[in-house]
Amino acid sequence: MLDSIKNVEATRKSRMGVLPARLSADDKTNLLAKFHPDYRKDMFTDLKIGPNKGEKVPLELAELLQGRSRVLDMDINVDNATYDVDVLVIGGGGSGTSAAVEANEAGANVLLVTKLRLGDANTMMAEGGIQAADKPNDSPAIHYVDALGGGHFANVPELLRKLVSDGPGAVKWLNELGVMFDKDADGTMITIHGGGTSRKRMHAAKDYSGAEIMRTLRDEVYNRGIQVVDFTSAIELLLDDQGRACGAVLMNMETGDILIARAKIVVLATGGAGRMHYQGFPTSNHYGATADGLILAYRAGARLLYQDTLQYHPTGVAFPNQIFGALVTEKVRSLGAQLVNKDGIAFIHPLETRDVTSAGIIRECNERMNGVRTPEGYGVWLDTPQIEEIHGVGTIEKRIPAMMRMYGKYDMDIRTKPILVYPTLHYQNGGIRVHPDGQSDIENLYIAGEAVGGIHGRNRLMGNSLLDIIVFGRNAGQQAGGKYKSVTPGKANLDHVKKFETERNGAGITTATPSPMLLPTYTHGRGDEDVAV
């Protein structure tokens, strides 16, 4: 490892200002097909039951989508409601809090339930920034084309159009709420490039953009007096006698107590799936990211979209082991750090799209054998000292201080030494299919954030996730706020769960895997998960 660092340092001057050529469309297609994890046929299976029967999904997701509902072993009286509200928001990240704020603004009585604490979500983990086409040389149309190409032209047009059109307003809304975006002395927002973008439209708060956005939204929820129930998971949706969403069965994660929440409108904002560790990859996701929303909606009859595609962020920490898989923000490459192999050779353009870059790193390590050996496998160098060579001493501390501090805890100074990275499981591109208004196939069930499928097609560009949680979180809250007064729920039931179990039995599925997972476990011999049941 130390000898390899010397190679990186020896070639740094010759690499300054010289970037590898961007790949052609055909080269990208071939690279992805051979090396990206989404193309490994042995890691996917076809669903046997449910709305997406016959379609492929990752093995780990199939087990839960077709798993056994937790409520089947419980004696539950759905008429004995602990909470009876206008709008139930499930999920306490950026999209859930945005939805709660907008529904509250419309006058609704809102209940927000969250598996961990309010703000414990992938939003907190987002570092690089939020895209929005609000500069004179940019436009939503250009943003649309960038995201469409990055998504391999598979984005749902109506959803992508809303994302880019509402982008400037979303950033303005956050700024007015108090998000401390990076700005010039005259107050103009500083913007930078991200992978796959043709304009500088990335707005950031240093390299803790998601944490700053979450801080602001969390404060807004508390300041408005919105009721929040922490450490409480939804383990099943309630439908009424017309098949409409009308609440959820909840579990207190500390005591195992079962609670019933009745609502006129339900917003699912349950986030991603990184903690399912597809194909054994590490993850940058927070502890509760186990695809709960996809499982609950699917069992209730909602279709999924692009459930077979995941995003592996190209730069997860490969060393040291203590932070293995943690996110190294794309902003590091935006500022000029190159990806370099063990011989000090830059092998791919630093701002290719994330899927292409990930596949390129995997190829460099697995086929070309040009990776650097680590305790967990292999990695390639991200030449962070280049940033200060390009922009001057002090740039790293000013622009990516959280990254500098994360490595500093392990006596590693990214200002003077490069860091080792390897792809980490980062984002579920697929999710629940929604209509242009954000409603799923189930009436009165709205979806927001990472649980939505189709916005980003088959690959997401940097900064569009923080944008989608705000745009579609606000949209779900606005839709709920405009509709709840006209909704009169029918009699709540769990008939869909019994129907799904009959379908499971008919297909010969005998697995007793509790579904949803709720929390992962990293211990041995303790059962399925660390939760009181």
Side-chain angles (χ1 to χ4, degrees), residues 54-108:
E55 298 180 18
K56 75 170 187 175
V57 296
L59 295 172
E60 299 87 348
L61 182 58
E63 185 175 7
L64 291 177
L65 287 175
Q66 300 178 147
R68 192 171 191 274
S69 173
R70 292 173 175 274
V71 305
L72 290 171
D73 298 320
M74 301 175 181
D75 183 16
I76 296 175
N77 179 4
V78 298
D79 295 323
N80 186 20
T82 310
Y83 306 100
D84 197 339
V85 296
D86 297 323
V87 177
L88 170 65
V89 177
I90 302 171
S95 60
T97 49
S98 295
V101 167
E102 290 290 9
N104 172 268
E105 179 70 16

Side-chain angles (χ1 to χ4, degrees), residues 283-337:
T283 187
S284 62
N285 285 188
H286 81 104
Y287 190 55
T290 52
D292 295 356
L294 274 60
I295 284 109
L296 299 184
Y298 191 72
R299 194 149 50 225
R303 281 188 61 83
L304 305 181
L305 186 63
Y306 302 154
Q307 66 279 358
D308 59 330
T309 174
L310 289 304
Q311 182 167 89
Y312 296 81
H313 195 291
T315 56
V317 175
F319 181 84
N321 288 13
Q322 295 95 324
I323 50 174
F324 181 57
L327 182 65
V328 177
T329 173
E330 192 168 312
K331 189 174 183 179
V332 177
R333 285 176 286 136
S334 297
L335 290 170

Side-chain angles (χ1 to χ4, degrees), residues 221-486:
V221 166
Y222 286 137
N223 290 341
R224 286 173 171 268
I226 295 171
Q227 186 176 11
V228 176
V229 181
D230 288 321
F231 299 111
T232 300
S233 286
I235 61 171
E236 206 61 73
L237 293 175
L238 294 177
L239 304 183
D240 68 10
D241 47 16
Q242 299 178 53
R244 303 176 298 178
C246 65
V249 180
L250 311 176
M251 175 188 284
N252 183 299
M253 298 294 287
E254 296 176 299
T255 66
D257 290 345
I258 299 300
L259 312 168
I260 301 296
R262 296 289 305 276
K264 298 175 180 178
I265 307 287
V266 177
V267 177
L268 267 181
T270 49
R275 289 292 165 173
M276 292 170 69
H277 294 289
Y278 296 120
Q279 301 187 32
F281 271 80
T283 187
S284 62
N285 285 188
H286 81 104
Y287 190 55
T290 52
D292 295 356
L294 274 60
I295 284 109
L296 299 184
Y298 191 72
R299 194 149 50 225
R303 281 188 61 83
L304 305 181
L305 186 63
Y306 302 154
Q307 66 279 358
D308 59 330
T309 174
L310 289 304
Q311 182 167 89
Y312 296 81
H313 195 291
T315 56
V317 175
F319 181 84
N321 288 13
Q322 295 95 324
I323 50 174
F324 181 57
L327 182 65
V328 177
T329 173
E330 192 168 312
K331 189 174 183 179
V332 177
R333 285 176 286 136
S334 297
L335 290 170
Q338 292 180 340
L339 289 162
V340 181
N341 66 22
K342 65 181 177 63
D343 297 319
I345 298 171
F347 58 91
I348 196 165
H349 193 285
L351 291 180
E352 292 284 8
T353 56
R354 287 177 171 179
D355 55 349
V356 170
T357 307
S358 293
I361 293 172
I362 293 171
R363 178 180 64 182
E364 199 69 15
C365 293
N366 293 1
E367 181 184 79
R368 295 177 174 175
M369 302 302 293
N370 285 328
V372 179
R373 183 74 183 175
T374 72
E376 296 290 344
Y378 288 90
V380 297
W381 295 111
L382 186 56
D383 194 8
T384 48
Q386 276 189 293
I387 294 173
E388 307 235 317
E389 292 280 350
I390 296 169
H391 302 288
V393 175
T395 301
I396 286 177
E397 186 171 9
K398 179 180 180 181
R399 301 294 295 275
I400 47 173
M403 194 61 47
M404 187 181 80
R405 293 185 188 114
M406 180 174 76
Y407 278 94
K409 291 178 182 178
Y410 305 99
D411 296 323
M412 298 174 68
D413 189 345
I414 68 173
R415 296 170 296 185
T416 60
K417 297 295 180 184
I419 56 178
L420 283 169
V421 296
Y422 192 79
T424 185
L425 187 54
H426 186 58
Y427 189 85
Q428 61 181 18
N429 293 318
I432 303 162
R433 186 178 72 171
V434 300
H435 301 281
D437 64 354
Q439 189 170 228
S440 70
D441 295 331
I442 299 167
E443 189 173 351
N444 297 339
L445 179 64
Y446 289 83
I447 317 298
E450 198 170 341
V452 175
I455 301 171
H456 309 289
R458 293 189 169 273
N459 178 65
R460 178 179 62 78
L461 297 186
M462 172 193 182
N464 279 348
S465 59
L466 281 180
L467 182 60
D468 90 49
I469 64 173
I470 304 303
V471 169
F472 290 94
R474 293 184 71 196
N475 173 73
Q478 291 163 355
Q479 294 289 337
K483 187 178 183 182
Y484 78 91
K485 292 180 182 178
S486 63

Side-chain angles (χ1 to χ4, degrees), residues 176-193:
E176 291 174 349
L177 285 178
V179 172
M180 303 289 287
F181 286 111
D182 296 339
K183 298 175 182 176
D184 287 325
D186 64 358
T188 302
M189 288 198 192
I190 297 171
T191 52
I192 61 173
H193 274 299

Side-chain angles (χ1 to χ4, degrees), residues 14-252:
S14 65
R15 289 186 280 106
M16 295 296 290
V18 181
L19 298 177
R22 287 190 179 273
L23 299 178
S24 69
D26 286 344
D27 286 341
K28 290 179 183 180
T29 298
N30 294 333
L31 178 63
L32 291 170
K34 190 171 182 181
F35 293 101
H36 195 277
D38 278 358
Y39 293 80
R40 287 194 58 181
K41 294 181 180 179
D42 59 325
M43 291 292 137
F44 294 82
T45 189
D46 292 338
L47 289 169
K48 296 180 180 179
I49 59 175
N52 292 80
K53 180 179 177 179
E55 298 180 18
K56 75 170 187 175
V57 296
L59 295 172
E60 299 87 348
L61 182 58
E63 185 175 7
L64 291 177
L65 287 175
Q66 300 178 147
R68 192 171 191 274
S69 173
R70 292 173 175 274
V71 305
L72 290 171
D73 298 320
M74 301 175 181
D75 183 16
I76 296 175
N77 179 4
V78 298
D79 295 323
N80 186 20
T82 310
Y83 306 100
D84 197 339
V85 296
D86 297 323
V87 177
L88 170 65
V89 177
I90 302 171
S95 60
T97 49
S98 295
V101 167
E102 290 290 9
N104 172 268
E105 179 70 16
N109 176 18
V110 180
L111 171 68
L112 188 153
V113 298
T114 181
K115 185 190 294 187
L116 300 174
R117 299 166 301 178
L118 183 64
D120 284 338
N122 283 349
T123 304
M124 281 292 296
M125 322 297 279
E127 297 168 344
I130 178 172
Q131 285 204 49
D134 59 0
K135 290 296 179 72
N137 69 332
D138 202 0
S139 71
I142 298 173
H143 189 177
Y144 183 99
V145 171
D146 286 348
L148 187 66
H152 300 290
F153 304 97
N155 316 60
V156 175
E158 296 83 1
L159 301 183
L160 181 56
R161 186 178 301 117
K162 183 170 183 61
L163 178 78
V164 301
S165 298
D166 291 4
V171 168
K172 182 175 183 290
W173 183 68
L174 290 173
N175 186 56
E176 291 174 349
L177 285 178
V179 172
M180 303 289 287
F181 286 111
D182 296 339
K183 298 175 182 176
D184 287 325
D186 64 358
T188 302
M189 288 198 192
I190 297 171
T191 52
I192 61 173
H193 274 299
T197 63
S198 62
R199 298 290 188 277
K200 293 181 178 181
R201 68 172 69 95
M202 201 70 54
H203 303 66
K206 294 184 169 55
D207 62 342
Y208 41 82
S209 304
E212 171 62 10
I213 288 171
M214 195 68 252
R215 175 195 68 81
T216 305
L217 291 173
R218 184 175 54 197
D219 285 352
E220 187 68 13
V221 166
Y222 286 137
N223 290 341
R224 286 173 171 268
I226 295 171
Q227 186 176 11
V228 176
V229 181
D230 288 321
F231 299 111
T232 300
S233 286
I235 61 171
E236 206 61 73
L237 293 175
L238 294 177
L239 304 183
D240 68 10
D241 47 16
Q242 299 178 53
R244 303 176 298 178
C246 65
V249 180
L250 311 176
M251 175 188 284
N252 183 299

